[in-house]
């Protein structure tokens, strides 16, 4: 499954482009711009599974670094600071990874 099976290619391009500068990534704005906030829980889980590259059932810190590339190959890598902020926001139980729920 491709990201464009769930989200609009145009929305993805705009959202990734909006955060192309280093240290500019804002996960709340990005997920809103890409259209995830309007998606059903099932669609959000589909996106999660696309981003879970090793199919472990979790998105670990190393996978988060490349989250923008998960939406489009043209995306940049997140900085360590951006990656840690995204992990902290999604890691509800403090185990160092983000689960599908």
């Amino acid at each position: 499954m491709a990201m464009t099976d769930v989200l609009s290619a145009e929305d993805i391009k705009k959202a990734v482009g909006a955060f192309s500068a280093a240290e500019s990534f804002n996960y709340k704005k990005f997920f809103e711009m890409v259209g995830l906030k309007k998606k059903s829980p099932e669609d959000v889980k589909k996106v999660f599974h696309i981003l879970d590259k090793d199919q472990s059932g979790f998105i670990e810190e190393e996978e988060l670094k490349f989250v923008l590339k998960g939406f489009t190959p043209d995306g940049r890598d997140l900085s360590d600071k951006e990656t840690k902020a995204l992990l902290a926001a999604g890691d509800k139980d403090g185990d160092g990874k983000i689960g599908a729920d």
Side-chain angles (χ1 to χ4, degrees):
M1 175 177 291
M3 198 61 77
T4 53
D5 292 337
V6 183
L7 302 170
S8 153
E10 186 176 322
D11 288 346
I12 291 170
K13 183 177 181 179
K14 284 181 186 175
V16 171
F19 300 103
S20 61
E23 301 299 334
S24 68
F25 186 71
N26 178 308
Y27 64 89
K28 288 181 181 179
K29 287 182 184 175
F30 177 80
F31 293 136
E32 184 175 330
M33 288 179 73
V34 84
L36 269 177
K37 292 204 177 230
K38 296 182 273 180
K39 294 295 180 181
S40 69
E42 294 80 25
D43 283 342
V44 172
K45 283 191 179 191
K46 288 177 188 174
V47 169
F48 177 91
H49 292 297
I50 293 168
L51 296 173
D52 179 16
K53 297 295 184 192
D54 64 3
Q55 299 300 298
S56 66
F58 297 95
I59 299 177
E60 295 86 9
E61 187 171 346
E62 190 58 34
E63 290 169 316
L64 283 178
K65 185 172 192 76
F66 307 112
V67 72
L68 295 179
K69 287 183 178 169
F71 285 87
T72 179
D74 299 337
R76 68 173 176 88
D77 295 346
L78 296 183
S79 70
D80 288 344
K81 180 180 175 185
E82 292 169 317
T83 302
K84 289 185 186 317
L86 181 54
L87 179 63
D91 181 11
K92 300 301 182 198
D93 60 7
D95 64 356
K97 53 192 174 186
I98 300 172
D101 295 327

